[in-house]
Amino acid sequence: MARAVFLLVAAVAVGSALGLILRRNAIHGALFLVVNLGSIAALYLMMGAEFLAAAQVIVYAGAIMVLFVFAIMVLIPGKEEIGPDPHRRARLAALPVGALLFVLLVLVVGRRWAGPAATTTASGTPDAVGRLLFTSYLFPFELTSVLLLAAMVGVLVLARRRA
Amino acid sequence: MVPESYYSSLSAVLFTIGVVGVVVRRNPLVIFMSIELMLNAANLALVAFGQRFGNLDGQAVVFFVMAVAAAEVAVGLAIIVSIFRVRRRLSVDDLSLMRW
């Protein structure tokens, strides 16, 4: 049962990822990416990472994708993908190179790992993850706030109209 | 229970699609979205391995990756918008200079 659900969600994830890179229209790509991020949130739920599933939907599918759609609306892209491609041969070479990368990744990452399986299942409830973030990961957590502040100031400087 | 090698294989598939997207597309916004796809594939692998070894540290790292991705998207989109203001074009093939 769990396997069938996994295969279904995985098919949605792979299909939407392919849609992102195959469709010309950037808005369609953004919507495909939202579907992809949502299916990854569903996989987090299946693994028991409830906090991350919620954060994925709120931060990625909510905030970050709204930013992307804003940028697409401001810039109205679309003309750069049509017309003759000066680097066509290099782009065609991406397919065999991508296939090679995939084989390498599966060999390294997708194999069965040696060693005993976990006896206890880690449940990623907001309670447990919050406790971890505010104890052993307190310093990186505080550093994150500085990073976000720096990003905000940097965006303001970049977006300011020069008089 | 789904074995974690399924999750890591799916993560490899998504990461490869992201890499191919970065290479074949000419629109910087789509390239950016492919980078997000790669970050998410890595996050999926992190959570899967964390479950495999029964601790939560993988999930904490994923939280930080999300925060960094948010900052990266904000700054990156601002850079793309300001390039568009100067160049009036959006193809990455035009952007072969380090400065102008």
Side-chain angles (χ1 to χ4, degrees), chain B residues 30-53:
Chain B
V30 179
I31 290 176
F32 230 124
M33 289 194 270
S34 302
I35 293 173
E36 295 304 309
L37 194 64
M38 285 152 68
L39 282 171
N40 268 283
N43 282 351
L44 189 64
L46 277 172
V47 176
F49 290 143
Q51 289 302 107
R52 167 70 174 78
F53 294 106

Side-chain angles (χ1 to χ4, degrees), chain A residues 3 23 47 56 113 137, chain B residues 6 25 40 51-52 57:
Chain A
R3 263 176 215 226
R23 294 300 296 255
M47 282 190 277
Q56 172 93 355
W113 291 82
Y137 288 94
Chain B
Y6 282 34
R25 295 299 299 260
N40 268 283
Q51 289 302 107
R52 167 70 174 78
D57 295 285

Side-chain angles (χ1 to χ4, degrees), chain A:
Chain A
M1 180 59 199
R3 263 176 215 226
V5 175
F6 172 82
L7 289 177
L8 187 69
V9 178
V12 171
V14 173
S16 55
L18 284 175
L20 165 68
I21 68 166
L22 292 180
R23 294 300 296 255
R24 283 246 162 83
N25 193 327
I27 284 281
H28 293 176
L31 293 179
F32 273 120
L33 187 57
V34 171
V35 173
N36 186 273
L37 299 174
S39 59
I40 289 179
L43 291 176
Y44 286 163
L45 268 186
M46 286 175 65
M47 282 190 277
E50 290 122 18
F51 170 73
L52 282 185
Q56 172 93 355
V57 172
I58 294 170
V59 175
Y60 259 115
I64 292 184
M65 289 318 293
V66 166
L67 213 55
F68 265 113
V69 173
F70 260 133
I72 295 171
M73 293 293 186
V74 167
L75 301 177
I76 313 188
K79 288 188 278 299
E80 55 282 328
E81 304 272 0
I82 43 187
D85 186 352
H87 302 291
R88 183 173 172 77
R89 286 174 62 201
R91 291 208 163 85
L92 283 178
L95 295 177
V97 173
L100 184 66
L101 174 71
F102 173 66
V103 171
L104 286 177
L105 277 178
V106 167
L107 284 181
V108 172
V109 135
R111 68 190 172 93
R112 289 190 175 276
W113 291 82
T119 49
T120 56
T121 55
S123 77
T125 57
D127 183 5
V129 177
R131 255 171 229 285
L132 190 66
L133 283 179
F134 280 98
T135 52
S136 14
Y137 288 94
L138 182 61
F139 183 64
F141 185 79
E142 298 295 339
L143 218 55
T144 304
S145 58
V146 179
L147 175 77
L148 289 174
L149 178 68
M152 202 169 70
V153 175
V155 168
L156 284 178
V157 170
L158 277 172
R160 194 187 47 189
R161 266 184 207 286
R162 282 157 192 84

